[in-house]
Amino acid sequence: MRRKLALVSVAAVVATTGLVVVANQAFAAAGCTAKYTIVNQWPGGFQAQVDVTNLGDAITSWNVGWDFGNSSQTITQIWNADKTQSGLHVSATSLSYNGNVATGGALSFGFNGAWSGSNPAGANLTLNGTACTGGTTTGGPSSSSPSPSTSTNPGAPTVALTSPTNGSSFTAPATVGLAASATAPGSSVSKVDFYNGTTLLGTDTTSPYTFSWTNVAAGNYSLTAKVTSAAGATTTSAAVSISVTTTGGGGTHVDNPYVGAKVYVNPDWSAKAAAESGGSRISNQPTGVWLDSIAAITAPSGSGYTTSLRKHLDNALAQGATLAQFVIYDLPGRDCAALASNGELGPTDIGRYKTEYIDPIAAIEADSKYASIRIVNIIEIDSLPNLVTNADGQAGATAACATMKQNGNYVTGIQYALGKLHAAGTNNYEYIDAAHHGWIGWDSNFTPSAQLFASTAKGAVGGVNTVDGFITNTANYSALSEPWVQPSTTVNGQSVRQSKWVDWNQYTDELTFAQAFRTALVGQGFNSNIGMLIDTSRNGWGGSARPTAASTSTDVNTYVDQSRIDRRIHAGNWCNQSGAGLGERPRATPATGIDAYVWIKPPGESDGSSSLIPTGPNNPGGKGFDRMCDPTYTGNGRNGNSLSGALPNAPVSGAWFSAQFQQLMQNAYPAL
Ligand code: BGC
């Protein structure tokens, strides 16, 4: 009965959109499953998420419809979609950057809403007019005529692809066994066709319906089975995604690449560290290699770079290293909420990002010569969090971030990077940057960030399987643990959350934040074995100013300021922080859910210059000047209008800053 209604609605949509259907011409297959989740609800308000899987043909734009249960329910703010609401009915439509959804692909968006009385979940979800009830239907003879006589339709056949299972991976050249179960109520099954995307792989006419797909090359594939009944009706199964990867000798893709690994020491950084008095105590530590421009890939002479990506990997082989860490950092319109690390690519340069930046990196990382090295890519610092908190409506919003949200090139670029780099080999590991607790720890930022990360990854070729984990605190200064300032701590009956420092944040330190955010990400659909990295390069806060006991003050602000490990003026400060020290030394599996503590920001490399340095010998890359790096600056909306806390006399971002390096060693915690 329900199936029949679906057939009618497919025909009705085609009729009203004016498509002319020629007899015998097949309809595009349409179908979907949908989930409406109330993520959070409070008196008068709620936050919801809609996830839709496209079971039909690939689409280039979408319109997701549903009905609210009562007239009090309205959308107040939506992300990753536009909306129109008429009475109880809502339509959410794709934006410029997220309209393409492959067969088997998913789309999702979220919104904040208002309600009173009751807040039932949205019902009657549709995708481009087709009810999201499960399988896929092309109609068959009865519905391919303009006035369908659906009452004589013997009922749509059913089909499910039972093998391989969704998300499974194979090693190239692979043999993939496909199997399907199929029924044809009121008729009989005449055949089952097996497809890769729209390419027919093979057909079986007798049960059990199977096909052996041999010699499959590396890549990500979306497989379906299509049943045709003797009456001529067809149904296509839900799609199954698989990935086939080359090992190139790279071997098994492990859960936590840091376990048992010898991590590459960047000789360029190591030499600068060793040249500092006392620097040899840490100069053999592994640090991240920042690929912060196209020139960083090949390091041509005169570019200011000394070591190309290939040379780094060759160096790693020579060191006997089995893991190397690279920072992928060149998005169009990079660093939209600040000025010290603005990139070389303009907001619309997505084509150059793909072909001149990601493609060459992926090609080098795919070289089987480097298969013995686990290649960890840290994906695009600050970018997705900037879309959540700095694009519109908030205290820190900038026009540049609004532009990048609007044109979608952060999302598109990261999707491209994930798909390409993941496919570079089983020895490749992707970790997306997830800001830090003092940025997305608040409830209002926490869930939307996890949702945006998930919708972004789901849109990558290979989906969430491209993501091995996330990194927090990259190049930041947030303390790992705050023993005396926990969200549950109270002072004289008052929660520390109401102190000026904590400012109602749900988290006060990086470790608890990273662990909780990992759980939230798994809840949004990331694999349950993802792991977190925490950049502990500069979050030690040791030395004489480090508190050794909880304050005895009964004033909540005094208590927090005297007890906290993080000695910054404001948790929003990020540039060359005065008083900071080296944090935990890099090591694997330091805590539950944490793959490793890492030093991604190389200690001693500046975050930005204290004053404007014109392009020239001291600023060959033309780096910008951000006043958050000026010790006299009194702040903005993103740091509570506080002093910047930056060290004076700093060089441009990435340049060696000896005074900072000395301070970091001085205040190391654990001490050197
Ligand atoms: C700079 C990069 C530099 C990196 C590591 C970033 O802030 O923008 O150019 O490579 O820090 O020091």
Side-chain angles (χ1 to χ4, degrees):
M1 206 58 217
R2 296 184 63 150
R3 178 64 63 193
K4 230 162 85 182
L5 283 173
L7 285 174
V8 171
S9 71
V10 169
V13 167
V14 172
T16 57
T17 54
L19 277 180
V20 177
V21 179
V22 186
N24 295 329
Q25 182 181 318
F27 277 75
C32 48
T33 57
K35 196 171 77 169
Y36 177 109
T37 311
I38 296 177
V39 181
N40 199 358
Q41 181 174 313
W42 55 94
F46 69 106
Q47 190 173 88
Q49 179 175 340
V50 178
D51 294 284
V52 179
T53 301
N54 174 26
L55 304 180
D57 290 344
I59 53 177
T60 55
S61 66
W62 44 262
N63 181 334
V64 173
W66 73 90
D67 295 321
F68 276 139
N70 68 58
S71 59
S72 77
Q73 293 173 293
T74 50
I75 297 183
T76 52
Q77 187 201 2
I78 192 164
W79 48 93
N80 294 333
D82 277 335
K83 47 114 183 162
T84 53
Q85 185 170 352
S86 148
L88 297 181
H89 190 73
V90 183
S91 295
T93 50
S94 51
L95 302 177
S96 59
Y97 60 88
N98 63 2
N100 285 318
V101 185
T103 303
L107 69 93
S108 80
F109 56 88
F111 61 88
N112 288 329
W115 64 282
S116 63
S118 69
N119 186 29
N124 307 327
L125 281 103
T126 57
L127 172 63
N128 293 351
T130 298
C132 293
T133 51
T136 316
T137 302
T138 55
S142 61
S143 70
S144 65
S145 73
S147 26
S149 53
T150 49
S151 56
T152 62
N153 185 355
T158 69
V159 61
L161 193 55
T162 53
S163 173
T165 52
N166 196 38
S168 46
S169 45
F170 299 82
T171 303
T175 299
V176 179
L178 292 98
S181 59
T183 65
S187 176
S188 59
V189 173
S190 103
K191 62 170 179 167
V192 172
D193 296 317
F194 293 97
Y195 285 88
N196 162 34
T198 55
T199 307
L200 179 63
L201 299 173
T203 299
D204 196 352
T205 54
T206 53
S207 171
Y209 305 101
T210 58
F211 176 74
S212 180
W213 187 24
T214 55
N215 214 13
V216 185
N220 297 303
Y221 302 98
S222 176
L223 305 176
T224 52
K226 183 170 98 175
V227 60
T228 304
S229 71
T234 64
T235 298
T236 298
S237 71
V240 164
S241 301
I242 63 162
S243 66
V244 177
T245 46
T246 41
T247 61
T252 322
H253 187 88
V254 297
D255 177 20
N256 178 356
Y258 286 84
V259 170
K262 181 171 178 343
V263 187
Y264 172 56
V265 176
N266 178 356
D268 301 339
W269 175 82
S270 185
K272 287 178 201 152
E276 292 280 342
S277 157
S280 61
R281 292 174 295 171
I282 59 162
S283 57
N284 61 352
Q285 291 292 349
T287 53
V289 173
W290 288 61
L291 302 174
D292 63 351
S293 71
I294 292 164
I297 303 169
T298 55
S301 65
S303 66
Y305 297 93
T306 49
T307 308
S308 67
L309 173 55
R310 272 194 183 280
K311 184 77 173 96
H312 278 298
L313 289 165
D314 290 338
N315 289 342
L317 289 176
Q319 282 179 15
T322 56
L323 189 152
Q325 309 170 112
F326 297 99
V327 181
I328 304 299
Y329 190 50
D330 203 25
L331 272 178
R334 189 181 74 193
D335 198 24
C336 65
L339 300 169
S341 290
N342 289 171
E344 64 186 337
L345 299 179
T348 60
D349 279 341
I350 187 69
R352 291 191 63 199
Y353 180 74
K354 291 179 179 179
T355 59
E356 296 178 45
Y357 182 70
I358 295 297
D359 287 352
I361 294 173
I364 295 165
E365 292 188 352
D367 190 335
S368 59
K369 184 180 175 191
Y370 306 124
S372 61
I373 303 171
R374 294 172 183 165
I375 297 177
V376 167
N377 293 310
I378 305 293
I379 311 280
E380 296 293 357
I381 314 306
D382 296 351
S383 52
L384 294 177
N386 266 327
L387 297 187
V388 175
T389 66
N390 291 329
D392 48 42
Q394 278 110 340
T398 69
C401 290
T403 298
M404 296 322 298
K405 182 174 180 181
Q406 179 62 38
N407 71 21
N409 284 338
Y410 278 3
V411 170
T412 307
I414 288 171
Q415 288 173 333
Y416 190 78
L418 288 174
K420 276 278 170 175
L421 297 171
H422 173 71
T426 50
N427 57 325
N428 208 295
Y429 296 83
E430 270 54 69
Y431 290 82
I432 299 178
D433 185 68
H436 56 89
H437 88 278
W439 185 344
I440 59 171
W442 286 269
D443 266 354
S444 51
N445 303 337
F446 189 87
T447 304
S449 296
Q451 288 171 342
L452 177 60
F453 294 168
S455 63
T456 300
K458 286 173 188 170
V461 175
V464 294
N465 293 335
T466 61
V467 179
D468 297 280
F470 292 80
I471 179 165
T472 81
N473 203 45
T474 308
N476 202 266
Y477 297 85
S478 296
L480 196 56
S481 298
E482 287 285 1
W484 304 298
V485 184
Q486 283 299 301
S488 56
T489 310
T490 56
V491 180
N492 200 15
Q494 294 189 303
S495 166
V496 296
R497 292 188 56 228
Q498 66 190 79
S499 66
K500 184 162 188 275
W501 171 259
V502 179
D503 191 22
W504 300 106
N505 199 328
Q506 266 77 8
Y507 298 92
T508 56
D509 64 31
E510 237 16 56
L511 182 53
T512 47
F513 163 73
Q515 289 170 327
F517 198 54
R518 200 193 81 81
T519 303
L521 290 159
V522 172
Q524 292 295 333
F526 284 100
N527 293 325
S528 58
N529 67 343
I530 57 168
M532 307 300 283
L533 304 177
I534 302 178
D535 186 352
T536 56
S537 56
R538 307 184 302 183
N539 70 348
W541 299 106
S544 56
R546 184 183 177 93
T548 54
S551 163
T552 53
S553 171
T554 53
D555 173 73
V556 72
N557 279 315
T558 310
Y559 172 90
V560 168
D561 287 339
Q562 291 180 346
S563 307
R564 58 184 163 91
I565 300 299
D566 186 336
R567 305 309 305 158
R568 282 179 292 183
I569 295 168
H570 188 278
N573 286 350
W574 54 267
C575 196
N576 300 328
Q577 289 300 286
S578 175
L582 300 166
E584 290 277 350
R585 308 305 105 83
R587 64 188 157 104
T589 48
T592 307
I594 312 297
D595 278 356
Y597 292 151
V598 290
W599 283 7
I600 294 304
K601 176 76 183 183
E605 291 188 13
S606 174
D607 296 313
S609 58
S610 314
S611 58
L612 178 67
I613 298 178
T615 305
N618 290 327
N619 187 4
K623 290 279 175 71
F625 165 52
D626 193 297
R627 289 212 66 202
M628 287 295 287
C629 303
D630 171 356
T632 68
Y633 182 50
T634 52
N636 58 37
R638 290 188 297 278
N639 81 334
N641 294 99
S642 313
L643 277 166
S644 72
L647 292 170
N649 306 318
V652 293
S653 66
W656 192 253
F657 187 12
S658 173
Q660 185 192 38
F661 186 79
Q662 289 296 336
Q663 177 207 268
L664 290 169
M665 289 194 297
Q666 177 77 36
N667 293 336
Y669 192 92
L672 293 176

